[in-house]
Amino acid sequence: MKPPRFEYFAPKTLDEALALLAAHGDRAKILAGGQSLIPLLNFRLAHPEVLIDINGITSLAYIRPADSRLAIGALTRQHAAERSDVVAARAAIVGEACRFIGHLPIRHRGTIGGNLAHADPASELPAAMVALEAEFTVASARGSRTLGAEQFFLGPLSTAIQPGEMLTEIRVPALPARTASAFVEMARRAGDYALVGVAALVTLDGSGRCQRARVALCGVGATPVRARAAEDVLIGQTPTGAALDEAAVRAASSTNPPSDVHGSADFRRRLARHFTREAIETAARRAGGN
Ligand SMILES: Cc1cc2nc3c(=O)[nH]c(=O)nc-3n(C[C@H](O)[C@H](O)[C@H](O)COP(=O)(O)OP(=O)(O)OC[C@H]3O[C@@H](n4cnc5c(N)ncnc54)[C@H](O)[C@@H]3O)c2cc1C
């Protein structure tokens, strides 16, 4: 199928893009990597009257330290994040989650901002951003505002971005010393969206006990799901054996997964339990220097 008719703009600056968004409101859609939007247009599942192609706004493609945080421009390609030493040093889970997105050519075009704005509940990066407690900057012609990752995702393919706004930057807070992370998932085929994916960050104290934990899952609800009950049970524990089992059970029971042709809700809950255990165990092992 061919896409429906649309008016096309290719601004070169953020101000131009924001002025176009202000003029066209909810009739307009941003075109970033096009890896989700173009199929939606071709299948006639989206009918924007106006496309604002942001690929010429090169100032939105960057990865850089910002104070103690990591700043990622919305137009940064997923592959650039996957290969970045700065990302590896400051938020390795972003690179690890990106590697699960589709295939290499998709990640060469697909952007970090486009992936997050698309908000697929089975998408890996949103769960990683929730676990990292990242902040998202959303801009419009009127100014900008900052949202926490958990506030940003409202439902399947739905975010807190309002008509006239666009996502411009993602900021990841500095992680405490002796923190490591892991992202694990199961997908039906390599490159598919996750059936269930788990992002875990673990901080160990000097004696190997868990000082801080962050766990978030994808594929198990309408949005990424933060498993606070699993995090809490780990605090003060050596992350092995019974503590891991209990965290995994708690994470699985904080989910409300869908049933579909790919798997029942019960199957997904069992995957959530298994992969939560594996993600926490891997992150803890890495935090311990192994
Ligand atoms: C075969 C295939 C397999 C894939 N597998 C996976 C996978 O396993 N996991 C996964 O997570 N993704 C997967 N994807 C999707 C991929 O990650 C996309 O790159 C991503 O979802 C959208 O990013 P994009 O830059 O291509 O955005 P686009 O397709 O250009 O845009 C997607 C949506 O976000 C909006 N948007 C884009 N940028 C902004 C912005 N800065 N501000 C506001 N709104 C914006 C658009 O208007 C549109 O609604 C797959 C895609 C394909 C084709």
Side-chain angles (χ1 to χ4, degrees), residues 93 97 112 115-134 136 148-160 183 193-200 214-228 231 251 254-258 272 276:
I93 198 167
I112 299 288
N115 182 280
L116 297 170
H118 188 58
D120 192 303
S123 183
E124 294 83 359
L125 208 45
M129 292 298 179
V130 166
L132 285 164
E133 298 177 327
F136 298 169
E150 278 185 276
Q151 297 167 273
F152 182 82
F153 298 105
L154 300 183
L157 311 189
S158 169
T159 70
F183 191 97
Y193 279 93
L195 264 179
V196 171
V198 184
R214 298 288 181 269
V215 180
L217 297 90
C218 61
V220 293
T223 59
V225 173
R226 172 116 176 239
R228 284 191 170 75
E231 298 170 1
S254 59
T255 65
N256 185 19
T276 298

Side-chain angles (χ1 to χ4, degrees), residues 195-216:
L195 264 179
V196 171
V198 184
L201 289 104
V202 173
T203 307
L204 297 180
D205 66 17
S207 61
R209 290 179 192 281
C210 182
Q211 204 170 55
R212 178 184 186 270
R214 298 288 181 269
V215 180

Side-chain angles (χ1 to χ4, degrees), residues 29-39 54 74 78 100-103 106 109-115 117-118 122-126 161 165-168 191-194:
K29 271 222 166 280
I30 298 283
L31 173 65
Q35 299 302 299
S36 296
L37 183 56
I38 297 297
I54 60 170
Q78 293 150 9
F100 285 105
I101 298 175
H103 304 282
I106 291 159
R109 282 303 296 169
T111 64
I112 299 288
N115 182 280
H118 188 58
S123 183
E124 294 83 359
L125 208 45
I161 299 175
E165 291 184 323
M166 63 179 278
L167 176 62
T168 54
D192 278 4
Y193 279 93

Side-chain angles (χ1 to χ4, degrees), residues 1 22 28 36 39 53 69 82 95 98 100 103-104 106 142 146 148 150 163 167 173 182 196 227 250 261 271:
M1 294 260 290
S36 296
D53 180 348
R69 292 182 287 183
E82 179 185 336
C98 280
F100 285 105
H103 304 282
L104 196 56
I106 291 159
R142 298 181 306 279
T146 302
E150 278 185 276
L167 176 62
V196 171
R250 287 183 176 213
V261 290
L271 291 179

